[in-house]
Amino acid sequence: MQRASSAGRNSCQKILHRRNQIQTTRKLPCDVFINHRGIDTKRNVAGLLYNQLASLRLRPFLDSKNMKPGDKLFDHIDAAIHGCKVGVAVFSPRYCESYFCLHELALIMETKKKVIPIFCDVKPSELRVKDNGSCLAKDLRRFRWALEEAKYTVGLDFDSSRGDWPHFLTSATDAIVKNLLEVEEEEQDGGQNF
């Protein structure tokens, strides 16, 4: 696996320096929430991205890595979304078939988190929320709104069968770290204006 660029490492050092200045006794929330369709991306894009971010000493959240048997699914995931600074939505061919994926995306958008879409083996125009009769009308509206917002956010695209994995991981990591740093700088600047 390729390491993040030197700019990415320097940005991570700034984030870690700020974090070390904050004294807290409670468990710190995650920095980055990785929203994905497990069946499509857990063992490749989402899992590799989680490992790359963790190797930089960031705190990514990936359900299979951060949850244990007995955890309440929605409680744990919703708390991670509320606590994160950046959301990464890894879109894949079967993403929109998952109520959980769409719920997470809607919550990320509703909480106005910085979002980085990654279109893996799918074009934004191919993503649609379909009414299969199992969702409430209000959920369908939330999901469609969130998906449209994400589709019109600048992101990354990747073809897993032909793409350059090391280059993709470096680009994705650099984009995440840059956005994370921007959010932390905004928070720091906002806290000084009181």
Side-chain angles (χ1 to χ4, degrees), residues 88-102:
V88 175
V90 181
F91 295 108
S92 58
R94 293 184 283 182
Y95 179 94
C96 290
E97 295 172 12
S98 169
Y99 177 90
F100 293 106
C101 289
L102 294 168

Side-chain angles (χ1 to χ4, degrees), residues 33-34 36 38 42 61-82 98-101 103-104 107:
F33 184 91
I34 303 172
H36 68 291
K42 188 174 306 239
F61 182 95
L62 185 65
D63 55 0
S64 63
K65 303 278 189 177
N66 296 82
M67 295 180 66
K68 63 186 183 317
D71 284 343
K72 298 282 186 192
L73 194 61
F74 282 112
D75 293 347
H76 207 72
I77 287 174
D78 290 2
I81 292 170
H82 281 284
S98 169
Y99 177 90
F100 293 106
C101 289
H103 166 77
E104 291 170 9
L107 190 55

Side-chain angles (χ1 to χ4, degrees), residues 99 174 189:
Y99 177 90
D174 287 350
D189 292 344

